Amino acid sequence: MDIVFDPVTIVEVGPRDGLQNEPKTIKLDEKVRLINLLSTSGLKQIEVGSFVNPKMVPQMADSGLVFSKITRRPGISYSALVPNLNGYEQAKKCSPDAIAIFCSASESFSKANLNASIDESFMRISQFISLAKKDDILVRGYVSCVTDCPFEGPVPASNVAKVVAKLREFNCYEISLGDTLGKGSPGAVDKMIDNVLNEVSVEVLAGHFHDTSGLALENIQVSLERGIRVFDTAVGGLGGCPFAPGAPGNVATELVLKYVQGKGFKTGVNMEIIMQAAKLARDIRHV
Ligand code: HMG
Ligand code: MG
């Protein structure tokens, strides 16, 4: 008898986390083409863009237009990354299915990424979180620097657990653990998850691994062993965070699909379409 595993959910973050770090301006039509193709692949969650200071992340300045031009398919959650009330108000005009809020487990990265201490970032979130509830918009949460910070080095797992607990208070339906630098060793990731599980159950967790050191798949394996079944990926391995020096792409969607499908997990995602999207992602970077 075959062993049947729980399904694994892939959250495609390429259009946001991937493209935000591209030095060359990506045309609006190319972003729309990429998202429309991804929408035919069986993916159920796509992060479309972000509503942040455009002087900090120029590549995401047209996220409102991207939302207005994509063809939204039923059954797919199209989300937007939002740092503050201003971003929430812009996102709301696009009727996202979900917003993603983001905090850091390290003070220095919080300052670099959000111009705020960790507590100040919680204050900002509290200014719009109740609006999201009232407006019936789901909220996903990210914690950055779950093992390492570009400025402070290793991050204590207990810091991550505290931020996760706060995101749960904010009613996040899912909390994504971000190895922003892709430096986390499987041992460090395992210890971090162990600490986080003191605060929340495994069903609300997702893994978000950048692939700097080629360790993302090993870290996904550790996460799978801990029971995590949701992973953020970027088609074609696009991306990185502009405020984390040395953070290149997210782990590639096609790599993770091959890995988890090879282990017997169903994903509902069509590999052929993802390979076409990966080619498109590569092409639009280089045109
Ligand atoms: P601030 O400078 O403290 O904000 O930045 P402010 O309120 O003083 O405003 C400064 C300027 O930004 C003003 O414009 C505002 O109008 C404008 P100016 O007067 O200079 O012309 N502004 C905005 N514009 C558009 N949308 C907004 C917005 N808010 C203010 N929402 C702020 C605070 C949060 C805005 C800023 O630090 C920011 O935008 N940070 C986001 C940086 C970012 O996008 N980083 C990458 C995403 S996070 C990530 O990649 C990690 C993740 O993938 C997980 C992982 O890998 O770890 C999620
Ligand atoms: Mg990221």
Side-chain angles (χ1 to χ4, degrees):
M1 195 180 83
D2 287 342
I3 301 170
V4 180
F5 293 98
D6 313 332
V8 159
T9 300
I10 303 289
V11 179
E12 175 59 51
V13 296
R16 193 281 304 169
D17 204 357
L19 295 183
Q20 74 179 6
N21 206 30
E22 287 301 316
K24 176 187 132 293
T25 305
I26 309 286
K27 289 195 191 111
L28 172 63
D29 287 356
E30 304 285 25
K31 294 178 182 176
V32 171
R33 208 147 66 91
L34 180 64
I35 294 169
N36 284 347
L37 180 57
L38 289 167
S39 294
T40 64
S41 69
L43 285 162
K44 292 285 177 254
Q45 294 186 58
I46 301 177
E47 201 167 81
V48 170
S50 64
F51 294 92
V52 300
N53 183 349
K55 289 188 188 134
M56 286 180 75
V57 190
Q59 198 68 256
M60 291 289 109
D62 60 357
S63 291
L65 287 171
V66 176
F67 260 101
S68 71
K69 289 198 177 293
I70 54 173
T71 304
R72 288 168 71 157
R73 292 194 171 227
I76 302 181
S77 170
Y78 295 93
S79 63
L81 189 79
V82 165
N84 56 8
L85 178 61
N86 175 334
Y88 178 74
E89 283 166 348
Q90 295 178 64
K92 195 192 151 188
K93 290 188 192 139
C94 305
S95 307
D97 298 290
I99 54 164
I101 58 176
F102 52 116
C103 298
S104 169
S106 98
E107 285 291 352
S108 307
F109 184 72
S110 184
K111 199 76 194 154
N113 199 36
L114 288 161
N115 193 25
S117 67
I118 297 171
D119 281 344
E120 284 164 352
S121 73
F122 294 153
M123 284 282 290
R124 280 188 190 152
I125 290 168
S126 63
Q127 289 168 354
F128 62 90
I129 206 76
S130 54
L131 298 176
K133 191 169 183 193
K134 190 165 75 54
D135 296 330
D136 225 3
I137 299 175
L138 291 172
V139 182
R140 189 169 198 254
Y142 283 108
V143 188
S144 288
C145 299
V146 294
T147 59
D148 295 88
C149 165
F151 312 106
E152 294 176 20
V155 172
S158 55
N159 290 14
V160 184
K162 277 187 214 151
V163 178
V164 165
K166 192 70 188 172
L167 288 177
R168 197 62 178 139
E169 267 179 45
F170 285 136
N171 263 329
C172 291
Y173 72 93
E174 197 161 273
I175 298 167
S176 183
L177 302 168
D179 178 10
T180 318
L181 285 189
K183 272 195 170 174
S185 66
V189 168
D190 189 56
K191 184 173 169 207
M192 178 274 297
I193 297 172
D194 192 48
N195 268 256
V196 165
L197 288 175
N198 292 327
E199 300 293 342
V200 293
S201 66
V202 74
E203 289 77 23
V204 301
L205 293 175
H208 179 107
F209 298 104
H210 287 255
D211 207 10
T212 323
S213 325
L215 287 171
L217 288 183
E218 280 184 56
N219 288 331
I220 285 174
Q221 179 58 36
V222 165
S223 309
L224 285 168
E225 284 163 18
R226 283 281 182 178
I228 294 178
R229 294 289 181 267
V230 183
F231 298 100
D232 302 349
T233 64
V235 71
L238 284 169
C241 178
F243 307 102
N250 294 85
V251 64
T253 307
E254 54 276 22
L255 205 66
V256 176
L257 272 184
K258 189 167 173 228
Y259 186 75
V260 298
Q261 288 174 352
K263 292 199 164 285
F265 291 98
K266 298 249 183 297
T267 62
V269 181
N270 181 309
M271 180 63 117
E272 270 175 39
I273 298 177
I274 291 298
M275 293 310 286
Q276 287 169 28
K279 179 175 181 317
L280 178 58
R282 278 192 296 274
D283 289 350
I284 66 179
R285 290 169 97 182
H286 295 124
V287 173

